[in-house]
Amino acid sequence: ARKEGSPIDRYFLALSSSPRRRGNTALLAQRAEEVARSLGWETKFLYLADYSYSPCQACEARRSTGRCIIPDRAQDLYQEILRARVLL
């Protein structure tokens, strides 16, 4: 059984940090995603601009709770990144 957060054997995640959804970065990443999908990989493409997240505050809360206390979407991104076998 797969442990939560462990990589999936054939999961390809592409992240775009560009504000241009149809820019060169997005087009190249989408092409790579298409190739991975054609080879049978599960794929996902995420635009970081769609997520709100804050920088770490170095509050050390994670040490006791195991989770960040900042209420943002960073945890969602972390879970996707941990699942990925390939990250672009």
Side-chain angles (χ1 to χ4, degrees):
R2 187 179 74 79
K3 292 171 58 178
E4 185 177 337
S6 64
I8 293 177
D9 287 340
R10 295 171 61 91
Y11 181 61
F12 176 97
L13 176 63
L15 299 176
S16 177
S17 59
S18 174
R20 297 186 185 113
R21 289 189 175 267
R22 298 182 198 277
N24 291 334
T25 300
L27 292 174
L28 289 170
Q30 288 169 345
R31 179 63 183 128
E33 180 193 22
E34 289 170 9
V35 170
R37 191 178 313 112
S38 75
L39 294 172
W41 287 60
E42 178 184 347
T43 67
K44 187 177 273 189
F45 188 96
L46 299 176
Y47 289 97
L48 294 180
D50 291 342
Y51 292 80
S52 61
Y53 47 91
S54 301
C56 179
Q57 302 299 306
C59 67
E60 303 289 331
R62 185 175 177 88
R63 287 182 187 238
S64 61
T65 65
R67 295 202 41 96
C68 179
I69 62 168
I70 297 173
D72 63 14
R73 302 273 319 273
Q75 294 301 316
D76 299 336
L77 291 171
Y78 297 151
Q79 290 306 311
E80 289 295 330
I81 290 168
L82 289 173
R83 284 183 67 216
R85 178 66 61 187
V86 173
L87 176 63
L88 176 68

